[in-house]
Amino acid sequence: MTVDEVIEAARAQTGLSDYGDPAILEGLEVLLKSYADEAKYTERGSQMAHADLVKWMAVRMKIEDWLAQHPDLLDQPIEKPLFVFGLPRTGTTLAINLLASDPARRSFLRWESHDPVPPARPEELHAGPRWQKMDEQTKVALQYMPQIAAIHFEEADSPTECQFLMTPSFCSQVYESQADIPGYREWFLHKADYLPAFRFHKRYLQMLQANTGGRWTLKNPWHPLYLPALKDVYPDAQLVMTHRDPADVLGSIGSLIENVRKIYSDDVDLETIGQQFVETFQIMIERQDAFRAQHGQDAIYDVQYADVMKDPIGQVRGIYDHFGEPFTAEAEAAMHAYMDANPKGKHGKHEYSLERYGLSREGVHKTFGDYIERYGIPVKTAT
C-alpha cells in the first residue's frame, strides 16, 4: 500500500477526510516502505498489518471529526497526568492496574484504543457494544494464543499502554513489536519528531474525557525514549519509573516479541530480537538519564520491581505520598479487591530463557552495570 491508499481506504470506511497534522505521514511512509522491503510477513500477516494501518488512520479521522464538532473539548486541561514507565516487563502493568482501581482516576482502556468515538459515557466504560466486541476478541485470543496471555493479558476494559494513543500518528513501538523492520526502527529511534504524536495523544485524551473525567493515569514502558516531548505537551506530568534486573527484562521481552512476531511471520530471528532490545534499552536508559540531568534527579520517582512484587499496594501508596496525593480508603479497598481477583499466574506461568535470544545473564549485567549500580537494582547471578 501507499500513503494515499491508506488514507483513501480510511476515508472509505469513515466517510471522513481530515486526519489532522500532516507531519504524521512521514512515519506512515517509512513504515510502509519497511513493510514492503523488510517485514518478511506471511500473506495473512501482511493483510493484518496493513489493515491495522487503515484502522489507525480511520480512528484518527474520527477523533479529528469529533473534535471539529466539539471544539470546546480542546479547552479542557489534562491536569497532572501520572505516567508509569520503565523498561518493559518491570511491573508497570501491575502498578497501572492498581492505580486504575482508584475510582478518582481515569485510565485509557483497551477497547478505547480501538473504537474510541464517540467518547464513552460513565455506564459505557465497562459495558456496552464496544466493550462487548473487544471482550469477545479477547476470549478468542485467550483460546488460540494462551502463551501470549500468560506473558501479558488485558481484559477488554483493562488499562492499556498509552502508546496506542500514538499508533494513529504512526510513531509507536507497537509497529516494531510486530515485525523486524530496521528502516522504521532507525527512523523511530533516531530521526522521528515525537511532538506531533504527543500533541495528538493529548487531543485523544481531551476527547475521551468529555463525559468521563478523572485524573489521567497512564502507562507505556517506552516513554523513556521521548520524555522531552512528553514534558513539552504535559508540563505538569507526574513521572514514575520502574526498575528490574535487565537480564530478566530482556528474557521476558524477548519471549513477548517472539510470540507477537510469529503471528505475522514464519521467519523470526531470535538473536536479532536480543540484539535489538539490548540496543533499545541502552537508548532508553541514556535518554531518561539525560532528562534527569536537565530537570533534576527527582524529576522521576523510582520504584523497584522487587518491591512491587513484595508489597504492591504499599509501593502504590508510596507513589501517592511522593506526589502529595490523598490515598483514600476507597482506593485502598479497590486495590485489595483487584489483587484478590487477580492472583499471580492467573493466566498461566510465563517461562523464558535469556540464552534463547543469544544473550547471557553475565553479559547483560556487564552491559548494564552502570544502570544497575546507579539505581540500586537487585540482580540475580547466573546459576
Side-chain angles (χ1 to χ4, degrees):
M1 295 183 79
T2 65
V3 169
D4 286 344
E5 287 170 342
V6 171
I7 294 170
E8 189 53 44
R11 283 174 175 162
Q13 278 189 16
T14 63
L16 304 170
S17 60
D18 182 12
Y19 51 81
D21 188 352
I24 58 96
L25 298 183
E26 179 183 351
L28 178 57
E29 186 170 3
V30 175
L31 194 55
L32 286 166
K33 181 169 174 34
S34 282
Y35 280 6
D37 297 345
E38 301 168 335
K40 299 179 183 177
Y41 283 138
T42 60
E43 183 177 351
R44 180 173 177 271
S46 179
Q47 290 171 349
M48 290 192 298
H50 286 88
D52 274 348
L53 300 184
V54 175
K55 175 180 71 176
W56 299 129
M57 181 62 82
V59 164
R60 190 177 180 93
M61 289 176 174
K62 291 176 183 178
I63 291 170
E64 291 296 344
D65 179 66
W66 189 269
L67 291 172
Q69 295 180 53
H70 304 83
D72 57 303
L73 295 178
L74 296 173
D75 296 327
Q76 302 304 309
I78 307 290
E79 294 182 352
K80 293 183 180 179
L82 175 67
F83 290 88
V84 180
F85 53 83
L87 302 185
R89 322 301 298 161
T90 57
T92 56
T93 298
L94 177 55
I96 192 65
N97 277 297
L98 288 172
L99 288 160
S101 301
D102 183 344
R105 293 185 176 271
R106 173 75 159 94
S107 293
F108 178 47
L109 306 182
R110 184 164 178 246
W111 73 260
E112 287 183 303
S113 70
H114 292 264
D115 197 0
V117 181
R121 297 187 297 272
E123 67 273 15
E124 294 176 310
L125 287 176
H126 306 288
R130 289 180 288 175
W131 169 86
Q132 186 174 4
K133 180 180 178 181
M134 181 56 67
D135 186 56
E136 290 168 356
Q137 292 175 4
T138 300
K139 288 174 180 174
V140 170
L142 192 60
Q143 180 180 355
Y144 288 100
M145 294 181 288
Q147 74 280 10
I148 293 182
I151 302 170
H152 179 74
F153 181 76
E154 292 178 354
E155 302 283 0
D157 54 358
S158 291
T160 197
E161 294 179 2
C162 69
Q163 67 170 324
F164 288 103
L165 295 169
M166 302 172 72
T167 47
S169 298
F170 309 102
C171 181
S172 173
Q173 201 280 332
V174 168
Y175 299 112
E176 195 203 356
S177 294
Q178 296 170 350
D180 179 12
I181 40 178
Y184 181 80
R185 172 183 168 81
E186 172 67 17
W187 176 84
F188 177 67
L189 290 178
H190 301 293
K191 299 176 182 177
D193 178 0
Y194 302 120
L195 269 174
F198 272 99
R199 291 187 186 115
F200 184 76
H201 185 292
K202 183 177 180 179
R203 292 168 71 84
Y204 202 145
L205 293 183
Q206 286 172 313
M207 185 209 70
L208 290 179
Q209 70 182 12
N211 305 313
T212 51
R215 285 286 299 284
W216 280 105
T217 305
L218 305 158
K219 80 115 173 182
N220 177 15
W222 310 99
H223 278 324
L225 291 171
Y226 22 70
L227 288 171
L230 186 157
K231 187 72 170 176
D232 188 281
V233 173
Y234 300 106
D236 60 352
Q238 299 173 338
L239 307 177
V240 176
M241 184 169 180
T242 52
H243 302 273
R244 183 185 183 187
D245 183 341
D248 292 328
V249 170
L250 280 158
S252 184
I253 193 65
S255 175
L256 177 60
I257 297 298
E258 175 190 351
N259 279 282
V260 171
R261 288 186 179 177
K262 282 182 175 178
I263 297 171
Y264 297 86
S265 175
D266 294 331
D267 186 359
V268 177
D269 189 305
L270 302 185
E271 290 199 3
T272 294
I273 291 175
Q275 293 164 5
Q276 287 175 339
F277 284 87
V278 166
E279 180 191 11
T280 299
F281 292 171
Q282 288 175 309
I283 294 169
M284 292 170 72
I285 292 165
E286 288 169 3
R287 290 186 184 176
Q288 65 87 33
D289 279 339
F291 182 85
R292 293 178 199 251
Q294 180 179 357
H295 296 279
Q297 187 65 25
D298 62 352
I300 302 172
Y301 179 67
D302 297 299
V303 176
Q304 296 290 343
Y305 171 86
D307 294 336
V308 173
M309 293 300 104
K310 290 176 187 173
D311 181 15
I313 295 176
Q315 290 302 304
V316 170
R317 181 192 287 270
I319 293 172
Y320 280 72
D321 291 345
H322 177 78
F323 292 111
E325 303 286 353
F327 190 72
T328 65
E330 292 82 2
E332 184 172 13
M335 291 177 193
H336 280 290
Y338 174 82
M339 293 299 298
D340 290 343
N342 293 275
K344 187 176 181 180
K346 178 179 180 180
H347 298 288
K349 185 178 180 182
H350 179 203
E351 297 182 350
Y352 50 86
S353 162
L354 191 62
E355 289 71 23
R356 182 172 175 81
Y357 307 101
L359 304 172
S360 70
R361 185 168 288 272
E362 182 182 19
V364 170
H365 287 168
K366 183 177 180 180
T367 298
F368 293 95
D370 288 345
Y371 167 64
I372 292 167
E373 182 178 357
R374 191 159 60 253
Y375 292 96
I377 302 168
V379 299
K380 294 179 288 185
T381 57
T383 56

